[in-house]
Amino acid sequence: MDYPLLSLFWTMLEFFLFILWCFLLFKIITDIFRSHDMGGWGKAGWTVFIIVLPFLGVFVYLIARGNSMATRDLEQAQAADAAFRSYVQDAAGGQGDGTADSHVDDLAKLADLRSSGAISESEFQKAKGKLLA
């Protein structure tokens, strides 16, 4: 057991920096491929530059295109949010939008449930009251 405590801390720091470097490298590679303002040759050139000379390539990329990385992140987040909102709205089937048609449809469904015996008259009245309120 000849491994001093300072060496252990140094090893942990090196491991942490290696993981940090890997995350940064993958972030830049994904940013290269999602960039719409760069053509195929530009993407290929940056990718080769980052793979062949990783330290220099990453630093040059951050200096040259670092500002636009945040813009692309924001655009991607807004697109994902819009897609999620659209999915939720479609999954909800337009309920809760305040239109009279959705209330009529819901009342018709409640009446069908009551007539089939799935819900009682009191449950129907409660649901109808909530729907019309």
Side-chain angles (χ1 to χ4, degrees):
M1 183 95 180
D2 191 25
Y3 201 68
L5 186 62
L6 187 60
S7 295
L8 177 68
F9 286 137
W10 185 252
T11 303
M12 289 173 48
L13 178 67
E14 288 175 342
F15 181 71
F16 173 74
L17 290 176
F18 175 73
I19 297 298
L20 183 69
W21 178 255
C22 289
F23 277 113
L24 181 62
L25 191 63
F26 291 134
K27 175 72 173 168
I28 288 176
I29 288 174
T30 57
D31 186 68
I32 288 171
F33 286 108
R34 75 170 171 199
S35 177
H36 296 293
D37 61 340
M38 212 180 344
W41 287 107
K43 291 178 182 183
W46 275 112
T47 305
V48 168
F49 186 43
I50 286 175
I51 290 174
V52 172
L53 299 170
F55 288 111
L56 182 64
V58 166
F59 293 134
V60 169
Y61 187 85
L62 287 175
I63 292 168
R65 298 181 50 89
N67 291 336
S68 60
M69 283 177 69
T71 306
R72 284 187 291 278
D73 279 341
L74 182 62
E75 289 172 358
Q76 183 181 12
Q78 288 173 343
D81 185 52
F84 175 73
R85 288 181 187 273
S86 174
Y87 170 75
V88 168
Q89 190 174 18
D90 290 344
Q95 294 177 356
D97 59 356
T99 61
D101 291 338
S102 66
H103 290 306
V104 171
D105 291 339
D106 292 339
L107 282 172
K109 290 176 186 175
L110 282 173
D112 289 341
L113 288 172
R114 181 186 58 180
S115 65
S116 68
I119 60 173
S120 67
E121 180 65 26
S122 64
E123 291 172 332
F124 172 76
Q125 292 300 328
K126 284 181 186 177
K128 182 174 130 182
K130 286 182 183 178
L131 189 62
L132 296 177

